[in-house]
Amino acid sequence: MIHRNRLRSAWNRVGSGGIHRAPREWQPWLIDTGSLTQKIEKAIGQKLQVQVLRDCPQTLNRDESRYFRFQIRRCRIREVLLCADGVP
């Protein structure tokens, strides 16, 4: 299933107060309220199709939690497969 509709949820809103714990180089990408897919497309110069694999709250694994100094244990995780011309 290719996801073409904008999510109605607030998954990209920066209101949790936890964003500042992410590595500094990630913060501009994480706080951007525009389309992340469009930002990536612009960076690579190619059109992408997005296939949503999972979009739900879940517990972070140890490697993910380490980036937040183990202060965040659960968050909303949206896993997608980005494809260019049908190739992941």
Side-chain angles (χ1 to χ4, degrees), residues 27-81:
Q27 291 183 18
W29 286 76
L30 293 172
I31 64 172
D32 190 304
T33 58
S35 167
L36 181 57
T37 302
Q38 288 176 349
K39 190 169 182 162
I40 294 170
E41 288 172 339
K42 185 176 179 181
I44 66 170
Q46 195 168 4
K47 186 77 175 152
L48 299 172
Q49 299 82 44
V50 180
Q51 181 179 356
V52 177
L53 303 175
R54 186 184 331 195
D55 186 359
C56 61
Q58 68 184 52
T59 301
L60 296 174
N61 67 36
R62 187 167 178 79
D63 289 340
E64 293 165 334
S65 187
R66 178 174 46 102
Y67 287 109
F68 298 101
R69 298 184 185 119
F70 301 98
Q71 295 176 15
I72 297 175
R73 302 219 187 259
R74 288 186 59 82
C75 68
R76 186 169 185 178
I77 304 292
R78 184 171 192 245
E79 296 177 11
V80 299
L81 182 62

Side-chain angles (χ1 to χ4, degrees), residues 4-16:
R4 290 194 167 93
N5 296 329
R6 194 165 187 73
L7 290 177
R8 294 180 191 172
S9 65
W11 71 271
N12 65 344
R13 290 191 189 146
V14 184
S16 67

